[in-house]
Amino acid sequence: MTAQAQDLVGATRKESRRLFDSWWQEMTAAAGDGRPTAYVFVMGSFNELLRVFDFVINFPEITALQTAVRGQSMAYLQAAEDYGFSPDICGYVKVDVGLQLKGGEHPHGRVPRPALALATNMCNTYVKWAEFWEHHYGCPVFVLDLPAWRGAGAAPDPADPAFERDRRYVEGQLRELIALCERITGRPFDIDRLRESMAETNRMAAVYHEVLALNRHRPAPFNAAREGITYQGIANLYRGAPEGTQFFALARDELRERIRLGLGTVPDEKFRLLLAGTACYTHFKRFVELFESWGGVFVLSTYMIFAGGGFVPGFGYDLTRPLESLAEQMLQAAWWGFTGSMFYPQEWLANAVRDWGVDGICLHGVKSCRTTSTGLPDVREWLRTQRDVPGLFIQSDLVDARLWSDAQIKNRVDAFFEALAARKAGAGR
Amino acid sequence: MGELERIVDDCRALVEDPSYPAVRRWLADHPGGKVLGHFQVYFPEELAHAAGMLPVKIMGAGSTVQIRQADARIAAFVCSIVRSSLELALSGRLDFLSLFVIPSICDAVRNACGVWVRNFPQFPTRVLYFPQNAASAHAVDYLAGEYARLVRLIEETTGQPVTAERLAASIAVFNENRRLLRELYRIKRETPWLLSALEAYVLTRAGGVMPREEHNALLRRVLELVGQRPAKRQDRIRVVFEGGYCEQPPLDMLAVIQDACYIVDDDLLIGLRWLVDDVATDGDPLANLAWAYLNASSYSPVQHDPRKPRAEMLLRRLRAAGADAAIVAAPKMCEPGLEEQVHYTRTLEAAGIPYLVLEFEETMTTFEQVGIQVETFAESLLFEFA
Ligand code: SF4
Ligand code: SF4
């Protein structure tokens, strides 16, 4: 390995740490000096708009996930359950409730109080979650409706009057949100700053797509369950900021270098997999290892689609009409997220299997997340019977360690790989 | 058995029969008639009615149907009503549907819409996105547009044009139904010894699975008969039951509760009573329905509306009913219900109003535990108030 290659391999990881640290420093400082903070979610991003008003942006899904990766989510969950929240509801909500009850103290820093809570209807639980902040802090809550997939039909067509009607509704709501942000921050809205942020997102989205596409290579240079989650984190936190674009350019260069050097994410890639849903973050290393020990690599995940910024293929804001275009892209992303990965994902999955050379799909049902998990057994059945795609359905959680059953999951993963191996051997005959 | 008791018994038999006898009777009487099924909570049934369709509430199967096929299609941690509604369809019991609409009430059922679309290509299944940004100045317009979109689908399904006149006529039928239901609830609130909560419940619920004109006639007769009942007031605590907006508690659970207290108000099947006033019949009917949904409506954990802070709405319901206490229930595995429960109980606590927390499932078959809890709760309050 040359010195230059050595510099590049591992550079993304270092830079991601720096960026996460810097986000936490900003949040912790805001907790001290009271700079207005907006709480937002990963599906339906408001970053470009919030940057115009200089909000600090808190992503509670990310802070919750981080407690689990650190092995510390249970104390927060417990605090929320002691407060009255049921064991059966979304674990992310409960970790955050626990965090708020503990005054924002997090293993990485301190979460500031919200000056504004923003939710979209991409997940109904977002709305209930935001209502908790409303009750707890008395902060304003703004819910943005993104009516998208209604149960049928092809991708939305901007030329369709029905789409135009939806777009107008979203744009109208965005204008109301702008007025609210002006009231909260006392700053006037500056459309040129919005344009700048949107231009930055355009640049970032282009590189994000390049990064994703590099994983079509055999062996895959990154694991969509492991590195993918870092990419998503940065895509959300730094959307609309130059650091985000620079990060993905670095990631792209590192991945190209890995490909040039023949470095796969596992030493001997045997099976290419697609992850429908998320990993389990209380057992993150273990989750990935169960698959990697068989030479299995997640080359793509639906999570990177629905929570990665919703960069639909061909994504690009039209900077000549920023608000209209923002509304349009939010709707397209919502439609893409719902159909491409959550409610009606079968065609998208079948196409991804074909295009990414996937051997099998792991569908991970998250006990406390009905948004992503409810119909997964049915999707698996559809793929098996209609497209002859092998699927493994396992269940655990994102942040609740009590729901991870190691022996049971290992048995199922092992049986899945044995079946995949037999299938490959059969195909080779 | 008197006439009123017979009507109540018939309604109970009707709502406990998963073969939807009233729907099948209607179909026999209306050859070629089409049925629109809709999931909880609220649906503007007028849209279907105006095209001559029979709107039918699909609200689970209680313990009347064994889940055999749905479990293989839906993850285990989803509430029972989503599961049993799918089972009804997979087992052919909903073979009369020409169209199914799922309001976007929660994550579980919205995702389950995909399951319906994949499994039942023979009829369209659609999500109806009600505004969660209810206070937006654009919400009424948007919702009227959603209704128009549905009307087009209904017209395609039936071949019948839905004119403004027909819509206005349908609104009048449902206005009457809502008025009669309000009257039923007034009696329950003011003289609960004349009409038990269980009776009021089955009488209300029958409306979801039979033609509404028939239901109106039935309710009119019931209201005549109720006043003639000789029942006497008893010394019981008065409670509001909250938590029945979507999955329905088993009838026997309500029976056990009413053995110990008067349920003077509730949110059971709140969708049928969502619109709290008559909807205007002049002007644009779709805009009127949309306006009423947003501006003259009840509350539930699945609608976000800053103008209707729910815990405050619950306190108002308690005050209006002169209730001593609340039973704050939630279905098992119901994300919105269980989350709301926390806020409700904390608010009640702060207001110094006694409450009992219950979790239920439509498939429950033993009620001893609930009985003991409710009895102990009621006794402690009677003692306190004495
Ligand atoms: S229910 Fe699922 S999508 Fe919604 S907030 Fe929880 S984890 Fe996220
Ligand atoms: S009971 Fe709760 S979780 Fe189930 S469909 Fe109704 S609102 Fe959704």
Side-chain angles (χ1 to χ4, degrees), chain A residues 165-229:
Chain A
R165 212 173 45 75
D166 286 352
R167 198 201 55 70
R168 273 204 313 272
Y169 179 41
V170 175
E171 187 190 329
Q173 296 176 82
L174 288 174
R175 289 185 190 279
E176 291 173 335
L177 172 61
I178 288 170
L180 177 63
C181 292
E182 286 181 325
R183 275 205 302 283
I184 291 172
T185 60
R187 283 167 186 263
F189 173 59
D190 177 349
I191 199 154
D192 289 325
R193 281 196 69 189
L194 178 67
R195 222 180 247 121
E196 275 165 36
S197 274
M198 289 170 74
E200 200 55 61
T201 301
N202 277 350
R203 287 190 279 275
M204 185 175 104
V207 201
Y208 186 82
H209 276 300
E210 284 183 61
V211 166
L212 279 188
L214 285 170
N215 237 22
R216 293 193 185 201
H217 189 268
R218 281 173 197 267
F222 75 89
N223 191 314
R226 188 179 40 230
E227 285 79 23
I229 195 71

Side-chain angles (χ1 to χ4, degrees), chain B residues 63 76 116 157 179 195 198 205 216 223 225 242 334 380:
Chain B
S63 53
W116 283 72
T157 307
R179 251 193 323 261
L195 187 70
L198 186 56
R205 183 162 170 172
N216 284 348
L223 292 170
L225 294 169
E242 193 80 12
C334 169
S380 71

Side-chain angles (χ1 to χ4, degrees), chain B residues 129-144:
Chain B
Y129 284 94
F130 283 112
Q132 292 286 13
N133 191 353
S136 165
H138 309 280
V140 171
D141 235 27
Y142 157 74
L143 185 56

Side-chain angles (χ1 to χ4, degrees), chain B residues 197-245:
Chain B
L198 186 56
E199 288 172 327
Y201 175 70
V202 294
L203 288 167
T204 304
R205 183 162 170 172
V209 290
M210 73 197 300
R212 213 49 65 91
E213 289 85 348
E214 269 179 44
H215 192 235
N216 284 348
L218 180 150
L219 288 179
R220 277 195 298 270
R221 182 70 188 134
V222 164
L223 292 170
E224 281 165 18
L225 294 169
V226 164
Q228 302 160 18
R229 269 191 159 173
K232 283 219 172 60
R233 173 188 201 139
Q234 291 181 358
D235 191 19
R236 295 190 184 184
I237 63 152
R238 299 165 62 90
V239 300
V240 160
F241 180 94
E242 193 80 12
Y245 67 97

Side-chain angles (χ1 to χ4, degrees), chain A residues 82-86 88-90 93 121-129 131 134-135 141-153 162-163 165-166 168-169 171-173 175-176 338 342-346 365-379 381-382 393 395-396, chain B residues 71-79 82 104-119 125-139 141-146 149 152 300-306 310 332-343 346 359:
Chain A
D82 291 346
Y83 187 81
F85 284 91
S86 159
D88 293 328
I89 66 155
C90 168
V93 172
N121 62 340
M122 291 284 291
C123 170
N124 288 289
T125 300
Y126 285 171
V127 181
K128 304 307 290 177
W129 193 345
E131 285 171 357
E134 185 179 37
H135 304 146
V141 166
F142 187 94
V143 178
L144 185 96
D145 283 320
L146 292 170
W149 184 72
R150 284 152 170 118
F163 181 81
R165 212 173 45 75
D166 286 352
R168 273 204 313 272
Y169 179 41
E171 187 190 329
Q173 296 176 82
R175 289 185 190 279
E176 291 173 335
F338 285 152
M342 287 194 289
F343 304 157
Y344 206 58
Q346 64 274 20
V366 171
K367 180 175 179 225
S368 63
C369 177
R370 281 97 187 166
T371 288
T372 59
S373 309
T374 299
L376 285 181
D378 186 59
V379 172
E381 199 48 24
W382 189 94
F393 179 65
Q395 303 185 61
S396 72
Chain B
D71 279 353
R73 314 225 159 247
I74 284 193
F77 31 81
V78 171
C79 68
V82 165
S104 59
I105 57 167
C106 72
D107 307 327
V109 75
R110 211 163 47 140
N111 189 311
C113 177
V115 180
W116 283 72
V117 173
R118 276 188 295 276
N119 283 278
T125 300
R126 293 286 186 274
V127 186
L128 168 58
Y129 284 94
F130 283 112
Q132 292 286 13
N133 191 353
S136 165
H138 309 280
D141 235 27
Y142 157 74
L143 185 56
E146 284 308 281
R149 184 194 281 254
R152 280 196 295 280
S300 92
V302 294
Q303 192 207 30
H304 176 81
D305 187 341
R310 272 182 299 274
K332 234 177 145 24
M333 300 287 174
C334 169
E335 181 93 33
L338 289 165
E339 276 167 356
E340 201 63 54
Q341 205 176 38
V342 180
H343 187 50
R346 296 191 83 83
E359 203 170 298

Side-chain angles (χ1 to χ4, degrees), chain A residues 235-406:
Chain A
N236 279 291
L237 300 179
Y238 290 92
R239 185 188 179 109
E243 294 97 315
T245 315
Q246 286 152 17
F247 172 82
F248 284 108
L250 181 68
R252 176 198 57 203
D253 294 347
E254 176 178 341
L255 294 171
R256 282 184 182 154
E257 188 59 17
R258 293 183 71 97
I259 288 172
R260 196 182 65 78
L261 296 168
L263 291 174
T265 180
V266 285
D268 182 13
E269 178 180 298
K270 291 203 182 73
F271 300 100
R272 295 170 66 81
L273 307 169
L274 205 158
L275 179 61
T278 64
C280 166
Y281 298 113
T282 52
H283 293 74
F284 193 32
K285 249 179 95 183
R286 176 69 175 152
F287 186 97
V288 177
E289 178 188 283
L290 282 174
F291 294 87
E292 285 191 340
S293 64
W294 283 88
V297 177
F298 290 109
V299 295
L300 187 61
S301 75
T302 60
Y303 204 27
M304 292 195 74
I305 306 299
F306 66 79
F311 299 138
V312 298
F315 173 95
Y317 289 124
D318 176 354
L319 302 177
T320 61
R321 41 193 272 282
L323 270 179
E324 292 87 331
S325 179
L326 187 59
E328 190 172 303
Q329 288 300 336
M330 287 184 103
L331 270 168
Q332 302 259 24
W335 189 89
W336 179 249
F338 285 152
T339 53
S341 47
M342 287 194 289
F343 304 157
Y344 206 58
Q346 64 274 20
E347 299 285 359
W348 185 87
L349 287 169
N351 291 342
V353 164
R354 183 193 62 210
D355 298 344
W356 296 69
V358 165
D359 300 302
I361 301 187
C362 168
L363 303 104
H364 178 218
V366 171
K367 180 175 179 225
S368 63
C369 177
R370 281 97 187 166
T371 288
T372 59
S373 309
T374 299
L376 285 181
D378 186 59
V379 172
R380 173 179 175 267
E381 199 48 24
W382 189 94
L383 287 163
R384 188 181 68 81
T385 55
Q386 309 289 314
R387 293 289 188 277
D388 189 31
V389 174
L392 162 74
F393 179 65
I394 49 172
Q395 303 185 61
S396 72
D397 197 60
L398 298 166
V399 291
D400 191 339
R402 295 168 295 192
L403 300 170
W404 176 266
S405 159
D406 196 79

